[in-house]
Amino acid sequence: KPAEQKHPKEPPSLQCMHLAVVACGDRLEETLIMLKSAVLFSSRRLCFHIFAEDSLKPEFETKLKEWPSSYTKKFESNIYPITFSVGNAQEWKKLFKPCAAQRLFLPVILKDVDSLLYVDTDVLFLRPIDDIWHLLREFNSTQLAAMAPEHEMPKIGWYSRFARHPYYGSTGLNSGVMLMNLTRIRSTHFKNSLIPGGLTWEEMLYPLYQKYKNYITWGDQDLLNIIFYFNPECLYVFPCQWNYRPDHCMYGSNCRGAEEEGVSILHGNRGVYHDDKQPTFKALYEVIRDFPFEDNLFQSLYYPLQSRFLDTVHTLCGRIPQVFLKQIEKTMKKVYENRVIVYLGANHRY
């Protein structure tokens, strides 16, 4: 065999952290606020992969260009149409929520991307993406994706009580935040309930859907649970503070990692950014949405959050504001310290 040609690797400081999201219907604003939170806190360059309906493409392009240049230089963005490479596109489109199944095809579509963080539109970063990106280095030789459990306690978890299909572990997985080594996914043959020899990711998707489509409730998330039920060695499980949802506090606090370290990634599922059921989640969303880019983070983001949280103390989630604020505070201090060091260094030369 001829020796494989090695491509020169760009230095780590220049490498992109790849972030993918799928936006359909009325998810434009939510997606932009998620991307804003990513840009606000991250230090390394970001590459956004936005999969959107054709009608949303010009709106994304216009809105992202309106951001100040000090932020637009921190990322590049690619906008793709919704496409499904195998099976019936209309069926995939209707699975759970419009276009959500698109995420299953990322390894096939983004052939030149090695690793990727996929998030739902209703996610907010409360610390740099750099920190979750580092978890890729913690994968062992068989792990190719990372997700958090759907619940911390089996007795009140959805999968353990209601699922009619195989699922991962004792509580299943939530796929709203999913870190993927796409190179490994593309080169792996997965065990499954269809044929004994193993199938590639692309070969497996449609037959698996056909087999279980009458038993799945949460669409693509259920398919991922089925895949990792048969291939548990392929999954790295990260703790709940990386995918913190209302379930972690609305029945009393049950995410120990968030109590100790603070929430790293907030996932406002069940539409909580847009109704009054979980005012703590809504407050975070609205304060990040309204933050003027060039303003002082403490002045225009941290202090408004503190005062908004005072109005939520009557709720179970609102009783633990430090859980939501801890990582933001830490990140802001780091940003401030870096600026001071740069400023002092610049002055020191004269």
Side-chain angles (χ1 to χ4, degrees):
K1 268 189 181 179
E4 266 186 49
Q5 196 178 346
K6 295 263 192 248
H7 294 286
K9 282 196 170 179
E10 49 182 1
S13 57
L14 297 176
Q15 282 172 10
C16 251
M17 296 182 294
H18 294 272
L19 178 67
V21 64
V22 180
C24 283
D26 59 357
R27 297 300 180 104
L28 177 81
E29 184 195 68
E30 213 173 67
T31 308
L32 286 164
I33 308 307
M34 179 277 289
L35 297 173
K36 183 180 183 180
S37 72
V39 171
L40 277 181
F41 297 132
S42 294
S43 47
R44 247 174 66 192
R45 187 169 173 73
L46 292 158
C47 286
F48 295 151
H49 301 275
I50 303 164
F51 290 80
E53 288 173 311
D54 295 343
S55 59
L56 294 180
K57 184 180 177 181
E59 294 191 67
F60 271 116
E61 287 172 339
T62 305
K63 296 283 186 193
L64 290 171
K65 278 179 191 151
E66 287 170 4
W67 291 3
S69 61
S70 56
Y71 286 92
T72 55
K73 70 182 183 192
K74 289 176 72 176
F75 69 88
E76 61 185 66
S77 58
N78 297 290
I79 303 172
Y80 309 81
I82 303 293
T83 50
F84 303 101
S85 60
V86 290
N88 181 318
Q90 285 313 307
E91 269 189 287
W92 283 123
K93 211 164 181 186
K94 288 183 202 144
L95 183 64
F96 186 45
K97 284 182 182 164
C99 312
Q102 177 70 75
R103 149 258 299 274
L104 296 171
F105 295 89
L106 297 177
V108 183
I109 297 166
L110 300 174
K111 287 187 181 354
D112 297 329
V113 176
D114 175 63
S115 296
L116 180 82
L117 177 64
Y118 164 87
V119 293
D120 286 348
T121 59
D122 52 9
V123 153
L124 290 170
F125 294 95
L126 305 187
R127 69 190 281 185
I129 291 188
D130 311 56
D131 298 339
I132 191 168
W133 196 255
H134 289 154
L135 296 180
L136 286 163
R137 296 181 197 159
E138 294 187 19
F139 285 15
N140 67 23
S141 60
T142 61
Q143 290 165 339
L144 45 75
M147 284 183 274
E150 171 65 22
H151 219 287
E152 300 309 298
M153 296 180 284
K155 60 181 182 202
I156 55 172
W158 192 91
Y159 283 102
S160 39
R161 291 184 298 157
F162 305 118
R164 296 187 298 146
H165 58 77
Y167 57 89
Y168 179 91
S170 57
T171 58
L173 299 163
N174 184 283
S175 59
V177 179
M178 184 176 178
L179 191 60
M180 293 181 265
N181 183 321
L182 299 183
T183 303
R184 285 188 181 181
I185 290 174
R186 286 187 285 262
S187 62
T188 298
H189 277 72
F190 293 86
K191 298 189 289 292
N192 58 81
S193 56
L194 304 163
I195 62 162
L199 291 166
T200 66
W201 186 266
E202 190 174 15
E203 288 168 344
M204 173 175 59
L205 289 178
Y206 195 61
L208 204 63
Y209 166 66
Q210 286 296 322
K211 178 168 182 176
Y212 291 104
K213 66 180 178 183
N214 296 324
Y215 304 99
I216 56 181
T217 305
W218 307 112
D220 51 315
Q221 176 170 294
D222 290 349
L223 287 177
L224 289 165
N225 266 284
I226 294 163
I227 289 168
F228 289 107
Y229 167 83
F230 289 107
N231 300 272
E233 72 287 353
C234 293
L235 192 77
Y236 176 99
V237 180
F238 51 60
C240 46
Q241 66 266 30
W242 292 104
N243 185 349
Y244 191 90
R245 283 157 279 128
D247 294 33
H248 289 121
C249 53
M250 63 194 273
Y251 309 115
S253 183
N254 62 39
C255 173
R256 188 172 294 162
E259 287 170 28
E260 290 167 5
E261 285 185 30
V263 174
S264 296
I265 295 179
L266 193 75
H267 184 181
N269 61 344
R270 306 170 189 242
V272 293
Y273 297 147
H274 313 292
D275 61 29
D276 296 313
K277 290 179 183 160
Q278 296 299 335
T280 318
F281 281 74
K282 189 179 185 182
L284 264 156
Y285 178 78
E286 290 182 349
V287 168
I288 292 174
R289 179 194 68 194
D290 299 339
F291 172 71
F293 272 105
E294 301 286 24
D295 272 27
N296 177 295
L297 282 167
F298 271 108
Q299 202 64 48
S300 303
L301 199 141
Y302 189 71
Y303 296 137
L305 267 179
Q306 282 187 315
S307 64
R308 285 285 299 269
F309 281 180
L310 290 174
D311 301 331
T312 74
V313 290
H314 61 286
T315 67
L316 280 168
C317 294
R319 285 182 196 173
I320 47 171
Q322 72 285 356
V323 164
F324 296 91
L325 289 169
K326 198 177 277 188
Q327 279 299 335
I328 291 187
E329 190 175 356
K330 206 170 159 183
T331 301
M332 286 186 194
K333 280 185 177 151
K334 211 180 281 179
V335 168
Y336 178 71
E337 281 163 13
N338 288 345
R339 281 190 189 151
V340 168
I341 290 162
V342 168
Y343 177 75
L344 286 174
N347 282 342
H348 196 61
R349 276 178 272 161
Y350 300 106

